[in-house]
Amino acid sequence: MVSKRRIGDSQVYPVGLGCMNITHAYGPPLPEDEAKALLVRALDLGYDFLDTATLYGFGRSEELIGEALKDRRQEYFLASKCVLGFKDGQRTLDARPETIKAACEASLKRLQTDVIDLYYMHRPDPNVPIEDSVGALADLVQEGKIRMIGLSEMGEEHLRRAHAVHPIAAMQSEYSLWVRNPEIAIKAACEELGVALVAFSPVGRGFLADPPVDPDKFHKSDLRGTIFPRFFPENYSGNLPLLEEARACASEVGCSVAQLALAWTLAKGGNVIPIPGTTSLQHLEENWKAGGIELSEDMVARLDAHFLPEKAVGPRYNQIGQSVVTTEMYDFETSQ
């Protein structure tokens, strides 16, 4: 029996479902019927933590969840995000209290629900003190429109300042064998404060798979070709040798490389919950099964040593992407 993991006062299966790629970021959106079928299949398998955002597909990800799953709302823990939004087809960044409250109302309508279990600030807003933004989220808790507050892509200082205003249930950070930045500070801070660490892109945006994604085949709308330099031609070939050891370890464990990557995140702490996204029913099931894979301490140490942060070739984000996050960086990253 797989033990569930805690987010605030709730318990969820150790692997959640990220709902970005069905509408957004890695190429064209899934056809509507396929996206809805994937969401239904996720619940049928036993996924009970769905993570979406206002930004994904400019609201379409939320709408698909509402349309496909409104009659099964009691079966899953629902998370969405505000602050990164959209207006006239363009992305916006706005954490003013009135904007957060309006965004929540819009998300509730798209999701066809009365309450969002976990509502994150998708990014910090440099023009609004985080205390003001969290104060607005606390009002939404009091009004019963959201149950818990989360943060995303923020560092320890923002977490502690936010937590002083209202308990923070979850911090979402990119965390994988290929991206170890939470280990600088935020992981320990989450453990200290009783905050769940929700690991997004735990399969390295498709890098930690066998075979890994092929940048030469990216659709023109795939953000990996423009925002994430590790996938750029001058960097990607230098990262591929990292996978040789991952394949060897996966063979020893008896799982896929993607499952190994997920099992590694699960081994990094009982408060870590990976949320891989996928457009594939096969990968959906494969990721689900990773929740039951336990790695030995020796295997975790071996993977830690092989995937040292400085071995990754290229920065995590381009300059624009990095400018809107406050997750701590390694010293070597600041010189890249």
Side-chain angles (χ1 to χ4, degrees):
M1 184 71 177
V2 177
S3 297
K4 292 200 170 188
R5 299 197 168 193
R6 183 178 67 83
I7 303 179
D9 62 5
S10 297
Q11 301 283 330
V12 298
Y13 187 76
V15 177
L17 177 63
C19 298
M20 179 180 73
N21 353 12
I22 59 173
T23 60
H24 178 86
Y26 298 159
L30 269 182
E32 182 176 302
D33 58 340
E34 293 182 25
K36 290 180 178 180
L38 186 141
L39 292 168
V40 170
R41 178 61 178 155
L43 294 197
D44 290 345
L45 283 169
Y47 281 93
D48 58 7
F49 174 23
L50 305 186
D51 190 291
T52 185
T54 291
L55 184 65
Y56 300 162
F58 293 145
R60 188 57 186 145
S61 175
E62 290 181 324
E63 289 174 346
L64 286 167
I65 290 171
E67 292 165 12
L69 304 177
K70 62 183 176 182
D71 294 332
R72 302 178 67 176
R73 180 65 186 89
Q74 301 307 311
E75 296 180 38
Y76 61 96
F77 182 95
L78 175 60
S80 193
K81 309 176 192 72
C82 58
V83 178
L84 279 184
F86 59 94
K87 184 177 181 180
D88 300 326
Q90 298 295 317
R91 191 174 91 161
T92 59
L93 172 66
D94 189 345
R96 290 175 296 171
E98 61 270 27
T99 305
I100 285 175
K101 292 181 178 181
C104 181
E105 295 291 348
S107 286
L108 288 168
K109 289 180 182 177
R110 287 190 292 264
L111 290 160
Q112 299 192 43
T113 186
D114 295 327
V115 61
I116 297 169
D117 296 303
L118 173 64
Y119 201 44
Y120 304 90
M121 290 181 62
H122 208 156
R123 292 290 189 275
D125 183 343
N127 299 313
V128 181
I130 194 167
E131 290 82 359
D132 293 354
S133 304
V134 174
L137 291 165
D139 290 344
L140 291 171
V141 173
Q142 284 294 111
E143 294 166 15
K145 293 175 180 175
I146 68 175
R147 294 205 306 114
M148 305 175 201
I149 299 172
L151 306 176
S152 177
E153 284 282 54
M154 300 189 204
E156 179 182 8
E157 179 188 355
H158 272 129
L159 173 60
R160 293 189 183 279
R161 286 170 57 190
H163 198 73
V165 175
H166 187 281
I168 300 301
M171 170 66 79
Q172 187 168 130
S173 292
E174 184 174 3
Y175 191 28
S176 71
L177 286 165
W178 208 25
V179 175
R180 305 274 292 276
N181 297 70
E183 295 177 4
I184 301 172
I186 202 66
K187 181 174 177 290
C190 285
E191 290 169 354
E192 174 193 335
L193 298 173
V195 176
L197 178 58
V198 178
F200 77 84
S201 297
V203 187
R205 305 182 191 276
F207 173 71
L208 297 166
D210 193 13
V213 293
D214 182 355
D216 289 337
K217 297 179 181 178
F218 285 164
H219 187 269
K220 62 182 179 181
S221 65
D222 195 317
L223 297 181
R224 289 172 293 190
T226 56
I227 293 179
F228 307 112
R230 292 183 185 178
F231 292 95
F232 295 0
E234 63 269 27
N235 297 324
Y236 196 65
S237 60
N239 283 300
L240 290 175
L242 287 169
L243 293 176
E244 295 174 12
E245 178 72 356
R247 292 187 186 104
C249 291
S251 178
E252 292 179 29
V253 174
C255 66
S256 70
V257 173
Q259 287 176 323
L260 180 82
L262 292 169
W264 177 87
T265 64
L266 292 169
K268 300 307 284 187
N271 68 323
V272 180
I273 303 169
I275 52 165
T278 186
T279 57
S280 160
L281 291 173
Q282 178 185 340
H283 292 165
L284 183 76
E285 187 162 353
E286 182 181 324
N287 295 342
W288 162 256
K289 291 178 179 177
I293 298 173
E294 293 187 23
L295 301 183
S296 68
E297 290 184 10
D298 287 347
M299 179 60 73
V300 173
R302 179 175 161 186
L303 289 165
D304 283 353
H306 181 71
F307 282 89
L308 290 172
E310 58 268 27
K311 289 187 177 181
V313 181
R316 182 165 76 101
Y317 283 122
N318 66 5
Q319 197 167 15
I320 294 174
Q322 186 61 51
S323 69
V324 295
V325 306
T326 58
T327 308
E328 288 79 8
M329 298 175 69
Y330 289 98
D331 290 342
F332 71 86
E333 290 182 287
T334 61
S335 62
Q336 287 181 337

